[in-house]
Amino acid sequence: MKQIERYLCAQCSQDMIAAGLRCEEIPTKDKDRKPCDWCGRSCYGGHYRIFYGRRREDET
């Protein structure tokens, strides 16, 4: 399974979770406003590791 790490605002992270994507939040001490990697808004948020793709054993 592949993974990417992205900084997401609170709204995009809620949308990602509601969509059922497999993810985990990466704990950081960083509390600054940054541009969201999905929507581009400069907001408070968090770093997330998002998993995608299939494992090789899932491919049949």
Side-chain angles (χ1 to χ4, degrees):
M1 186 164 275
K2 298 177 184 179
Q3 62 185 7
I4 56 173
E5 292 181 8
R6 296 288 184 257
Y7 181 82
L8 303 178
C9 68
Q11 181 63 50
C12 287
S13 65
Q14 288 177 354
D15 292 345
M16 175 185 62
I17 292 167
L21 294 176
R22 185 168 173 243
C23 63
E24 62 184 34
E25 188 169 3
I26 302 169
T28 61
K29 295 179 182 178
D30 197 8
K31 300 295 180 195
D32 295 333
R33 290 172 61 119
K34 294 182 180 181
C36 176
D37 288 333
W38 278 3
C39 69
R41 292 180 294 191
S42 182
C43 301
Y44 294 104
H47 292 274
Y48 289 86
R49 184 172 293 126
I50 305 162
F51 300 93
Y52 66 98
R54 291 192 244 176
R55 295 181 183 163
R56 291 195 183 265
E57 58 267 10
D58 292 343
E59 297 173 3
T60 54

